[in-house]
Amino acid sequence: MTDWRGKRYWLVGASDGLGEALAGVLSRAGAEVVLSARSEDKLQAVADSLPGKARVVSLDVSDNDSVIAAAQAVGDIDGVVHLAGVYWPFGAKEWDAGQANAMADVNFTGLVRVMGQVVPKMVQKDDGHIVVISSLAGLRGMPGSIGYAASTAGTMSLVECMYADLRKTGVKVQVANPGFIKTRLSAKNDFNMPFLMEPEDAAREVFEHMNTGAFKKSFPWAPSLMLRLRQFLPDGIYYRLFR
């Protein structure tokens, strides 16, 4: 078990949902947390609710100047958890260019912007902890998921590249791929969401992962197993089953 006392973690995307819940878990474990997102009022409310030391630094991951300024304001950190994301459910027949562009820009390119400010510093000092929250949706393309599945697939690939490059250094890289979590984003879905998790339960899963040396964790177990197995299905079978 990691000793979190005195550690300083930057949570990007911490104003609600999983980010807010994970901030609580880390704070109770003794870590100092720096909370970032676009809404300063929401972040301050989260910070005020935490038992430990917390600081608010607002940023917009879709704005590179904002990310650079936020990283400078945050200063030295022991670790970063990237949770920022947006989501709208629609398929190619109902393509919304604005929403698709936003998902690509926030979910994937936003991560690239943040990592561009964090990774070089960690590499230079040969120490640090990077945790990226992706999604089971990125494991393979599916109907009605233009933008989201593609952006999370890109996120997974980026983290795999970082892990391949940094696994024999002092920089620890991890990714967590949750299924459905009860948040304002999943509330947009009008279909059944099996194994829907509360943010607090998902946060405990992520925190348990952060205490291990493992690279990747996909959860809950049952849907993650099913979705990982579908990667090996031939296209003809897969697209009939998941139409």
Side-chain angles (χ1 to χ4, degrees), residues 47-66:
D48 292 343
S49 71
L50 299 177
K53 189 175 181 181
R55 182 185 172 198
V56 168
V57 177
S58 59
L59 91 164
D60 180 354
V61 298
S62 67
D63 182 335
N64 197 52
D65 290 338
S66 175

Side-chain angles (χ1 to χ4, degrees), residues 6-87:
K7 300 292 186 181
R8 193 163 188 264
Y9 272 69
W10 185 19
L11 276 65
V12 180
S15 59
D16 56 15
L18 176 56
E20 178 182 1
L22 185 59
V25 174
L26 286 169
S27 182
R28 289 189 293 272
E32 175 189 349
V33 293
V34 183
L35 309 176
S36 289
R38 287 180 298 178
S39 176
E40 189 168 351
D41 290 344
K42 287 184 178 180
L43 290 171
Q44 192 59 58
V46 174
D48 292 343
S49 71
L50 299 177
K53 189 175 181 181
R55 182 185 172 198
V56 168
V57 177
S58 59
L59 91 164
D60 180 354
V61 298
S62 67
D63 182 335
N64 197 52
D65 290 338
S66 175
V67 173
I68 293 171
Q72 292 173 344
V74 169
D76 291 336
I77 53 174
D78 296 290
V80 60
V81 184
H82 193 279
L83 310 102
V86 294
Y87 168 68

Side-chain angles (χ1 to χ4, degrees), residues 9-230:
Y9 272 69
W10 185 19
L11 276 65
V12 180
S15 59
D16 56 15
L18 176 56
E20 178 182 1
L22 185 59
V25 174
L26 286 169
S27 182
R28 289 189 293 272
E32 175 189 349
V33 293
V34 183
L35 309 176
S36 289
R38 287 180 298 178
S39 176
E40 189 168 351
D41 290 344
K42 287 184 178 180
L43 290 171
Q44 192 59 58
V46 174
D48 292 343
S49 71
L50 299 177
K53 189 175 181 181
R55 182 185 172 198
V56 168
V57 177
S58 59
L59 91 164
D60 180 354
V61 298
S62 67
D63 182 335
N64 197 52
D65 290 338
S66 175
V67 173
I68 293 171
Q72 292 173 344
V74 169
D76 291 336
I77 53 174
D78 296 290
V80 60
V81 184
H82 193 279
L83 310 102
V86 294
Y87 168 68
W88 293 274
F90 61 88
K93 294 178 181 178
E94 305 83 28
W95 194 294
D96 186 305
Q99 292 176 350
N101 293 347
M103 284 186 276
D105 193 35
V106 172
N107 300 353
F108 176 68
T109 311
L111 171 63
V112 176
R113 293 186 183 102
V114 173
M115 292 299 105
Q117 301 306 308
V118 170
V119 174
K121 295 177 183 178
M122 290 186 175
V123 169
Q124 185 177 25
K125 65 181 182 179
D126 196 31
D127 185 60
H129 187 189
I130 298 166
V131 183
V132 176
I133 308 301
S134 187
S135 170
L136 292 177
L139 291 174
R140 190 169 182 178
M142 63 181 71
S145 194
I146 291 297
Y148 189 71
S151 61
T152 53
T155 294
M156 286 186 188
S157 180
L158 177 62
V159 182
E160 288 170 352
C161 291
M162 288 194 295
Y163 178 74
D165 289 333
L166 300 174
R167 65 190 186 91
K168 293 189 181 295
T169 73
V171 182
K172 178 181 176 181
V173 179
Q174 294 182 300
V175 62
N177 302 315
F180 294 114
I181 302 174
K182 190 176 182 181
T183 66
R184 60 181 175 82
L185 298 184
S186 63
K188 298 177 181 180
N189 292 331
D190 60 0
F191 53 82
N192 179 50
M193 292 176 281
F195 301 96
L196 180 67
M197 303 182 72
E198 293 292 335
E200 294 74 17
D201 295 327
R204 283 192 290 271
E205 292 276 1
V206 173
F207 184 64
E208 288 177 6
H209 182 45
M210 291 171 67
N211 278 280
T212 72
F215 165 54
K216 187 181 296 184
K217 181 173 186 176
S218 299
F219 63 92
W221 180 82
S224 69
L225 177 62
M226 179 190 72
L227 293 174
R228 280 181 284 144
L229 288 175
R230 74 181 182 174

